[in-house]
Amino acid sequence: MKKQKEKKLVRKPSFFVWYILGPLVILYFRLQFRFRRNKIKIRKKSLVLAPHRAYADFLTIPISIYPYRPHFVATSYWFRNKSLGKLLRFLGCIKKDQYRADVNAIKEMSDCFKREEIVMMFPEGQMAPDGKSQLIVKGVERLIKKYKVNVYFVNPKGSYLTGPKWHGKVIRGDIDAETSLIIKEEDIDNLSTDEIMNIIEKEFEKNDDLEWVKSKPEYKYTNRQKARGLEKACHVCPKCHKEFTLASDKSRLYCTECDFSVEFEKTSFKFKENPYFKSLDELFKFENDQIRKDIKENTEYVDEARVISYETVEGKETKFNKVKMTNEKVSLVSDDETVDFDISKIINFIITMGVSFEIPTPESTYRVYLKNGNASIKYWSRMRYIKEEK
C-alpha cells in the first residue's frame, strides 16, 4: 500500500513569480533604488530576519537573498482583503496576527522548517515612523531554540530613506543590503534563549539609516515631494507648540499657525539652513521628547473615535466612540460602557499613519479610527516608549 503523501500546510513559493518575474524586479530595483547586495549561500532550514523600514521591504528583503525562495511571514492585516489574502497564500506566505499568540502561524513555520525550507520575517512586527529599531516580541528566540534553525540577518541600509512609513511613495536613492549568518544551527544547543535574543537585538540596533547615511555623503535621495506626509509623524509645532498644525508642501514642512518652516535639501534628508533643525533625526528627537514629557507627567489622551473589532480577518463595528490613554491603561468608551485594557498586558500598538492605531488583545484586535487621524502617532509613540523604559 502506497504511503499517503503528507499534506503541506503552506505551499512552496511560486516558481513563476520567483524565477520569471523575479529578475525583472531585481533589474527595476537596481535602476530605481541603486540597489546593491552581498551574495551569500543560505543554508537549508533557515530563518531570515530583517528590520522593516520602508514599504518596499516586502521586495527588498527577499531579493537580498535571491535566488532562494523564502516563505514570508505576513501580518493578518493584509489578509483582511480576501483577494490579496489568496494571492499571498499563492506566494507561499504565512499569515500571522501582530502582537498576539498565533498557534496556526507557529504550526505553519514549523511545517516549513521540517521540510528544510526558508522562512523570512520582520520580528519587530511593523514599520517605525522614525526608522529606529523597535521592540522585538518575545517568542522568536524560543522558535529558534526549539527547531534549531540557522538564523540570518538582512540589514537593508538606506531602505528607510527610499520610502518612510509617513511618506508612502518611492524616493529614488541608494540601498546597500547586507546579509550575514548570525546563528548556526550547530551552536544553538550551547545558547540560552536570552543569549539568542541578545544576538538578534544587537543586529537590529545596528540599523539606523539616518545615522548611517551621514557617512555616505555621496549617496543621493531625491523626490520632488520629499516632505509629503511628514505631518503624520510629528504632532507638535516646534515653535508655537500647538498640536496638529503642521502641514507639508513638496519638500517643506511648515506650521499653519506660526512661521515655523523647514525644507529638505534636494538630494538628502538634511534641512536647508534654518534656525530649528539640521536634519530629520533632530526633528524626530524633538517630537519624541514631547511624548516622553507626556509620559513623565502622565498626561491623559482623549479623542473621539470609531472602533472596529477583529476576532478573525472579518471586522465588526462596535459601539465605542471615544478612546482614552494614560501610562497605565487604554480605554474604549461608549455612551453607557467603558472597557479598560492594562498597558502592561498589551505587547504593542499597530499604527496606520494618519488614520488609526490598533490594540491587539488575546481575544480581539481593536482598530481605533481617530476623528483626527494624525493623532494616532501620539498613542503609538507613547506605547512604544512606555515599553522601552520597562
Side-chain angles (χ1 to χ4, degrees), residues 212-329:
W212 167 79
V213 79
K214 292 175 183 177
S215 66
K216 299 286 183 181
E218 71 276 16
Y219 283 10
K220 311 298 181 186
Y221 297 89
T222 57
N223 184 284
R224 291 180 180 178
Q225 297 185 346
K226 200 181 291 181
R228 179 186 185 273
L230 186 52
E231 68 276 7
K232 298 175 187 176
C234 303
H235 80 286
V236 179
C237 171
K239 185 173 182 180
C240 69
H241 294 274
K242 292 182 179 179
E243 291 190 330
F244 312 117
T245 59
L246 295 174
S248 59
D249 178 32
K250 295 184 179 179
S251 290
R252 186 170 69 100
L253 181 75
Y254 64 96
C255 179
T256 57
E257 296 291 323
C258 71
D259 62 356
F260 168 78
S261 176
V262 290
E263 185 174 358
F264 285 118
E265 293 179 350
K266 185 177 179 179
T267 61
S268 77
F269 281 87
K270 294 178 182 178
F271 293 124
K272 294 179 180 179
E273 187 174 347
N274 68 81
Y276 307 104
F277 307 109
K278 292 181 180 178
S279 57
L280 182 58
D281 52 342
E282 291 186 6
L283 173 63
F284 281 144
K285 183 181 183 305
F286 168 82
E287 170 71 16
N288 296 336
D289 285 346
Q290 309 313 301
I291 301 296
R292 288 192 169 96
K293 181 181 176 183
D294 288 346
I295 293 172
K296 185 177 180 180
E297 297 174 357
N298 202 9
T299 305
E300 183 181 53
Y301 295 166
V302 183
D303 282 277
E304 293 181 35
R306 170 175 163 252
V307 181
I308 307 292
S309 70
Y310 291 89
E311 292 183 13
T312 61
V313 293
E314 299 291 338
K316 181 181 178 182
E317 193 86 31
T318 72
K319 61 181 179 179
F320 301 116
N321 53 28
K322 191 177 292 184
V323 62
K324 298 181 180 181
M325 184 181 183
T326 64
N327 293 345
E328 293 75 35
K329 64 184 180 180

Side-chain angles (χ1 to χ4, degrees), residues 68-211:
Y68 299 97
R69 281 189 285 171
H71 294 274
F72 225 117
V73 179
T75 169
S76 56
Y77 171 87
W78 300 115
F79 289 81
R80 292 174 189 171
N81 180 305
K82 291 183 179 179
S83 298
L84 179 57
K86 288 180 181 178
L87 174 62
L88 292 173
R89 280 299 191 186
F90 174 75
L91 296 175
C93 292
I94 297 168
K95 177 174 74 71
K96 186 184 183 308
D97 288 338
Q98 289 168 281
Y99 307 122
R100 291 174 62 191
D102 192 329
V103 176
N104 287 332
I106 298 298
K107 285 181 180 178
E108 291 182 359
M109 282 188 269
S110 68
D111 180 57
C112 295
F113 291 141
K114 286 174 184 175
R115 302 201 307 264
E116 296 193 322
E117 295 178 346
I118 300 167
V119 173
M120 178 174 279
M121 69 186 300
F122 300 127
E124 293 167 306
Q126 61 181 316
M127 298 164 64
D130 61 0
K132 304 288 185 183
S133 60
Q134 301 177 76
L135 174 74
I136 296 176
V137 180
K138 295 290 184 181
V140 65
E141 76 284 10
R142 295 194 294 273
L143 183 77
I144 293 165
K145 185 76 173 176
K146 181 176 180 179
Y147 295 103
K148 293 182 174 58
V149 295
N150 300 287
V151 183
Y152 290 83
F153 181 74
V154 179
N155 189 352
K157 292 176 283 189
S159 177
Y160 173 74
L161 307 174
T162 63
K165 189 176 180 71
W166 45 266
H167 191 273
K169 297 290 184 180
V170 170
I171 295 174
R172 182 174 170 79
D174 293 81
I175 299 176
D176 290 347
E178 185 177 314
T179 304
S180 57
L181 176 61
I182 60 173
I183 301 174
K184 297 177 181 178
E185 62 176 311
E186 56 264 32
D187 296 334
I188 290 176
D189 285 336
N190 298 321
L191 294 170
S192 68
T193 52
D194 285 343
E195 288 172 327
I196 291 171
M197 182 58 83
N198 286 337
I199 291 170
I200 293 169
E201 287 175 341
K202 284 179 180 177
E203 292 298 324
F204 277 85
E205 287 168 6
K206 294 176 185 176
N207 183 264
D208 185 342
D209 283 355
L210 289 173
E211 185 61 35

